[in-house]
Every structure is written in C-alpha cells, then in structure tokens.
Amino acid sequence: KEQFTEEHEKEVLGWCKEIMGKFEIMNPGAAENLIHGLSLTSEWRQAEKYFGMLSEKTVDRSTYSAFISKAIAERDYQIAWKYLNHITDNFLVPRNFVFIEWFEQHADNKAKIEEMLEFIGANDILLPEADINTIADILKKSYNCSLVGINRKGSCPSCKSTLPGVKLMESEFQKMAKRFLDDIIIKSDVFIKTNPEEIDRYKKFIEKFAPFDCVIDGLNVAYSQGNKHN
C-alpha cells in the first residue's frame, strides 16, 4: 500500500476503464483481474458489479479478500461484512491480510476486536503463528497480549478461562450426514461402489438402530492386528 502512488492509480484505472469500455460481459479470469485492479483505487466500489461474472466453483479467495480489505480500509463495514459472510458461506477463507487490516484499524476498539474474533472462531479459521504474532503486536498498544498453550481441558493459563466444548447442533449433524452419504458413499454414480438396494438396506439399518455413540469397523480392527491372524 505504501508503494502505490497516484501515478500507479492513474495507470491502473486507465487499463480498467479501457477494458470495461470494450466488454459488458467478460470471462471469470478477466473479471477477477478487474476486481483486483479496481480494489487498489479510489473507484474500488465499481468492482462489486463484476462479482456476478465470477465462477463460484473456481473463484480465487484472493479476489474477494482484495475487495474486502479495501472496504475495511475505507470503513465501509456493511460491504466488508457482506462479502466476508458470503465467502465463508461458500467454504472459502479470507486471506490473512484481511484480518490484519481489521485489527490495525480497530486496535483500540474492544467491540470491533471481539466482533472479528467471534467471526474467526465461528468459522474455524486457523491463522498461522506469524500472523498471530503480527496481530498481537498490533493489539499490544492497548492490551496485554501473550501467546499461550491451551491444555487438553481447554483452560487458558493466562486468563484462567475455559474454552467452550465443540458441540454439533442437530441441523449441523444432519447436513454432515447428508454430505457424507451423497459425496462419500453414493458420489456421482451409485453403481461404482455399491447399488441402490445396498444403500437402502444401509439406511434402514441406521434408522432402526440409531443413535450410535461410536462405530467400530471390524475389518479395520482386524487389519490393525496384522495380517497373520485368521
């Protein structure tokens, strides 16, 4: 950001406007490049209309992250949260510089810090240690920060708090069960690994004897003991 001058912005906008003037609709790769370019400039909001041209299956999270980071820098939090929630709903994780941008801007705002920490936790986002150290250095200006190791019971040796346990809601479990059945067992062709009658028997068995606390795979137990046993 420090190296991006007015001359650079003028050049980037020139290229973007030339491309936008030639094509009303463009392929996803061109649209991604436009979003990246516009997100560097004062006309960054124009990039929003090109998200509709992206392919959700192949879109690079960096494209969204560049736009979100600019929205945060410009303090347009409504747009920032709109796209943060959009990409996590589509199982994409924002690039780490988005979080650093947020904490740099809100280093002395406890409510905003908690808001982003809750988002990180709710979406199971794991930041690398180098970025955690960067964020800690930012927050040290207003808070006492220290890196700690959490024990197996989830207790923090610094603040003495305990992390809540991981519990699946019924809706989450049903979603996971459906994904497992569709993607792991049935896949795109039910006849590759099984057949419809076998799947039907399996489902009836589960419905009859559920719920289960755990499932032990007898063949894997036997295999774990070595192949010299009958």
Side-chain angles (χ1 to χ4, degrees):
K1 288 184 294 185
E2 292 76 12
Q3 296 176 343
F4 193 73
T5 65
E6 290 184 9
E7 279 299 311
H8 291 139
E9 173 160 335
K10 184 178 178 181
E11 183 177 358
V12 170
L13 282 175
W15 281 108
C16 288
K17 288 178 179 178
E18 184 171 343
I19 295 169
M20 290 186 292
K22 288 183 178 180
F23 308 100
E24 285 189 26
I25 299 175
M26 56 194 68
N27 65 54
E32 283 191 351
N33 287 332
L34 266 179
I35 293 168
H36 273 281
L38 289 169
S39 295
L40 292 167
T41 73
S42 57
E43 298 185 27
W44 62 277
R45 285 184 175 85
Q46 291 190 50
E48 190 172 11
K49 62 185 177 184
Y50 294 101
F51 281 109
M53 301 178 191
L54 302 181
S55 169
E56 293 293 349
K57 293 183 179 180
T58 59
V59 66
D60 182 359
R61 63 193 179 113
S62 296
T63 306
Y64 281 102
S65 298
F67 184 73
I68 293 167
S69 181
K70 184 65 173 180
I72 294 171
E74 296 294 329
R75 300 180 184 271
D76 193 331
Y77 305 126
Q78 184 176 355
I79 287 183
W81 281 115
K82 173 184 174 181
Y83 285 95
L84 277 168
N85 290 317
H86 174 75
I87 63 173
T88 51
D89 287 345
N90 285 278
F91 306 105
L92 290 172
V93 178
R95 291 289 301 275
N96 300 335
F97 60 77
V98 169
F99 303 112
I100 293 172
E101 180 77 47
W102 182 274
F103 289 116
E104 281 180 339
Q105 193 170 117
H106 302 293
D108 57 352
N109 188 326
K110 184 178 180 180
K112 291 291 186 182
I113 291 170
E114 291 289 342
E115 185 179 20
M116 183 54 74
L117 289 175
E118 287 176 7
F119 174 81
I120 291 171
N123 290 283
D124 296 323
I125 296 170
L126 300 176
L127 296 171
E129 187 173 347
D131 291 323
I132 291 172
N133 283 324
T134 299
I135 292 169
D137 288 339
I138 293 168
L139 299 183
K140 280 177 182 177
K141 299 172 184 176
S142 302
Y143 302 95
N144 292 324
C145 299
S146 58
L147 294 178
V148 298
I150 305 296
N151 64 28
R152 293 180 64 86
K153 294 181 179 180
S155 298
C156 174
S158 180
C159 68
K160 310 304 179 185
S161 299
T162 301
L163 292 171
V166 177
K167 293 183 179 180
L168 278 177
M169 295 188 297
E170 181 62 24
S171 60
E172 292 175 320
F173 178 80
Q174 293 300 333
K175 183 178 180 181
M176 184 173 66
K178 185 177 186 306
R179 289 296 295 269
F180 176 79
L181 191 67
D182 292 347
D183 296 349
I184 305 300
I185 297 179
I186 299 176
K187 294 192 173 181
S188 59
D189 189 341
V190 72
F191 297 103
I192 292 177
K193 289 191 174 182
T194 183
N195 60 66
E197 290 78 15
E198 186 179 18
I199 287 289
D200 191 52
R201 291 200 305 272
Y202 171 74
K203 291 171 72 175
K204 287 179 179 178
F205 176 85
I206 296 295
E207 290 167 1
K208 181 179 179 180
F209 294 103
F212 302 96
D213 294 313
C214 64
V215 176
I216 298 174
D217 185 335
L219 289 175
N220 275 326
V221 172
Y223 181 74
S224 71
Q225 300 305 306
N227 57 11
K228 295 182 179 180
H229 301 279
N230 59 32

